[in-house]
Amino acid sequence: MNAYLLWAFAIGPVLIAEALLARYEVLAYGSGWRTPVTKLPEGVPYARGAAPDSPPDAYLVYLDGIGKRRVRDSRDGGQLVKALIARAPELRVLGQVQPYSPLAAPLAERPVWKWLRHRIGLLLFLHNVMQIFVAADQRYRPLYNRAVGSQISTQLRLAGYRPDSGIPVVLLSYSGGAQVAGGAIDELYSRLRSPLLLITLGGFHNGANDLTRAEHLHRLTSSSDRIERVGTWMFPQRWPLFRGSAWNRADRAGKITVHRLDPATHVGPCSYVSPTAQLPDGRSHLDRTADTVIALIRDRHRVTRVTEVSDHP
Amino acid sequence: MALVVLLLFAGVSEAAGRILPVAVGRPGMSRTRVAGLLCAGGLVEGAVFALWPLTAWTLAELVLSSAPAGDGLAWTPDLVAPLVLAAVLAFPLLGPFLHLLLFVAVGAGLAGPLAAATDLGWWGAAGCVAVAGAGLGIAVEAVRRLVVRISAAEARGAVT
């Protein structure tokens, strides 16, 4: 067969179908053809950790990387979320948000995708990668951001969050989840008026989302994280040259703090969330990541309390 | 028949890359309306694709002092097939670059037969194909903008 025809009829349509399907979901959301899902499957709690009868120190929303295909799963088998809950009982943790679905519909629960998951599972990853790029595309970004911001706000309310309560919301994002976390800020703020703290773990994002409404962004990274580095090369808004970009403006405003988690990699046996890779101090990479995240949240909480006390003697 | 189907697919593919971003920005678009826009856009884009070799041939006739000996330049299935991928325009970030690359490759494919049928040489033929493609592209872009402007005015009229 002619090479052109092979390309045109075999590989190309798959990629294009993915690219168009990813956009279709934003279109379905924006046009109101389908209502976003709010109810979780039977037996899945809206949040774990601190009990709902008293206000937690903070609500932590975990936005997973491209491996997120269902309400329950995450690319690390939920280990990071479990470690955070075990170490910080004062937090209420939400791990069910679907960063790669404007309709909040888990990919692996849809009929065709369920069939594909058992046969060509790679397509599900490809779909989520496409969703990151759709979320980064300036034509679709406003709508995508509104969709996911609205999804997070709904899940927070269902988990017991009360608008204007002053309880901080921490968006902990891994990899491509960072694109969505940054985009959700404005919608979240306008719906809940909550103090927002962002923590990115190997964050892959285009740096175009406005961080004005976020109190701070902690960037957890490593010199061995190639995927995060690709993001800083790929998107011009991340280049220092473009001083007016949202990312560079936030950096100049002192809103971004970098924390090195060397020698962790983005994925694999030495990743940020590896329970087996050991550090010289005897902790695993997973332990260190969880400790760092919790320390950042507690530091923020302590500073806020000190400020409140000094404001109201 | 295969050629017509391919041209139609290519037209719909091109239209999908251009219409979806516009549709996304407009709340209240019904499925039927989006499908209708895709089909109408696909027909127009397909017709423009169909005209590309004919326009290039006409340009070549204008450039040459004597009429070329060949019967004309026409699409063949293998030449038009890559255009089915025209929806690469919908790819984020890389989309416009991939789209341009696709059209350069298809144009280069058309330049070969045109050069063989005329005395223009490959570069001369490639020039005719490029000018024809650019001219058609500008014309269809003008139509697209006009349609967007009219439909936006209609939408505003419906709201007020």
Side-chain angles (χ1 to χ4, degrees):
Chain A
M1 186 191 273
N2 184 306
Y4 267 163
L5 288 175
L6 175 69
W7 172 242
F9 290 109
I11 306 157
V14 173
L15 285 173
I16 289 176
E18 280 288 4
L20 294 177
L21 271 175
R23 278 151 184 76
Y24 172 79
E25 201 170 332
V26 192
L27 178 62
Y29 170 83
S31 305
W33 297 346
R34 283 174 58 195
T35 314
V37 179
T38 52
K39 207 164 175 240
L40 294 180
E42 195 77 14
V44 179
Y46 286 101
R48 286 178 288 165
D53 47 1
S54 64
D57 281 0
Y59 281 77
L60 186 144
V61 181
Y62 179 61
L63 299 161
D64 205 357
I66 57 164
K68 185 78 172 174
R69 298 159 300 173
R70 284 179 295 188
V71 169
R72 289 173 194 271
D73 73 3
S74 63
R75 65 165 294 281
D76 65 342
Q79 291 185 95
L80 179 59
V81 168
K82 281 180 200 155
L84 292 167
I85 292 170
R87 283 169 168 79
E90 75 273 22
L91 303 178
R92 295 217 81 200
V93 182
L94 287 78
Q96 73 275 20
V97 171
Q98 303 295 313
Y100 310 108
S101 170
L103 291 168
L107 198 57
E109 307 297 331
R110 305 177 200 177
V112 176
W113 290 101
K114 197 184 277 185
W115 183 87
L116 283 172
R117 187 164 70 87
H118 297 298
R119 288 158 182 86
I120 326 169
L122 192 67
L123 280 183
L124 276 75
F125 285 92
L126 185 63
H127 181 83
N128 284 353
V129 170
M130 282 293 177
Q131 289 286 20
I132 295 174
F133 286 117
V134 171
D137 189 317
Q138 60 171 353
R139 298 167 300 177
Y140 299 90
R141 201 172 61 236
L143 204 56
Y144 198 102
N145 288 347
R146 201 194 321 154
V148 181
S150 153
Q151 182 194 162
I152 297 173
S153 122
T154 304
Q155 292 298 318
L156 278 165
R157 279 170 177 266
L158 290 167
Y161 192 90
R162 283 182 293 110
D164 295 310
S165 63
I167 298 175
V169 171
V170 182
L171 298 179
L172 169 62
S173 56
Y174 172 78
S175 191
Q179 178 66 48
V180 179
I185 292 172
D186 276 354
E187 186 69 18
L188 261 181
Y189 188 84
S190 61
R191 283 177 182 248
L192 303 177
R193 293 161 301 280
S194 52
L196 292 162
L197 183 69
L198 265 67
I199 302 175
T200 64
L201 181 60
F204 185 90
H205 63 97
N206 72 344
N209 286 315
D210 189 4
L211 302 177
T212 310
R213 293 265 168 84
E215 286 188 345
H216 204 83
L217 185 147
H218 294 282
R219 180 183 165 206
L220 275 49
T221 184
S222 161
S223 52
S224 305
D225 185 343
R226 291 179 188 166
I227 294 178
E228 196 206 14
R229 204 154 57 243
V230 167
T232 62
W233 293 342
M234 184 189 283
F235 300 109
Q237 290 96 331
R238 300 284 302 275
W239 304 348
L241 182 70
F242 291 87
R243 288 177 56 80
S245 75
W247 179 256
N248 288 326
R249 274 187 280 121
D251 197 22
R252 280 202 304 283
K255 281 202 167 188
I256 300 169
T257 309
V258 177
H259 304 267
R260 291 274 166 201
L261 297 184
D262 294 323
T265 54
H266 196 83
V267 288
C270 286
S271 75
Y272 298 108
V273 290
S274 167
T276 51
Q278 294 283 313
L279 294 162
D281 64 7
R283 288 183 303 166
S284 69
H285 283 190
L286 174 65
D287 291 337
R288 179 182 56 179
T289 302
D291 289 345
T292 309
V293 169
I294 291 164
L296 293 171
I297 298 170
R298 285 180 179 159
D299 274 356
R300 187 265 167 214
H301 189 63
R302 197 173 54 239
V303 168
T304 313
R305 278 202 166 164
V306 168
T307 314
E308 280 171 359
V309 168
S310 59
D311 283 351
H312 307 286
Chain B
M1 183 63 188
L3 200 58
V4 173
V5 171
L6 275 173
L7 279 168
L8 202 61
F9 275 140
V12 171
S13 178
E14 175 78 3
R18 295 191 180 277
I19 285 171
L20 284 185
V22 179
V24 162
R26 293 195 182 166
M29 293 276 280
S30 69
R31 281 186 174 88
T32 321
R33 187 160 162 72
V34 172
L37 280 172
L38 266 180
C39 288
L43 278 172
V44 173
E45 304 282 358
V48 173
F49 286 151
L51 286 172
W52 192 3
L54 183 67
T55 315
W57 180 262
T58 309
L59 270 175
E61 281 182 328
L62 289 173
V63 170
L64 289 167
S65 49
S66 57
D71 292 337
L73 182 64
W75 284 116
T76 54
D78 61 333
L79 276 176
V80 79
L83 287 178
V84 174
L85 301 180
V88 286
L89 187 57
F91 270 59
L93 308 170
L94 279 176
F97 171 72
L98 290 173
H99 191 253
L100 178 69
L101 209 64
L102 176 74
F103 276 74
V104 168
V106 172
L110 276 176
L114 184 61
T118 62
D119 300 329
L120 279 170
W122 194 88
W123 285 106
C128 286
V129 170
V131 171
L136 287 169
I138 290 167
V140 81
E141 182 60 28
V143 173
R144 278 187 212 117
R145 283 172 190 245
L146 194 65
V147 170
V148 167
R149 190 169 291 181
I150 291 169
S151 62
E154 275 177 2
R156 274 198 303 275
V159 169
T160 52

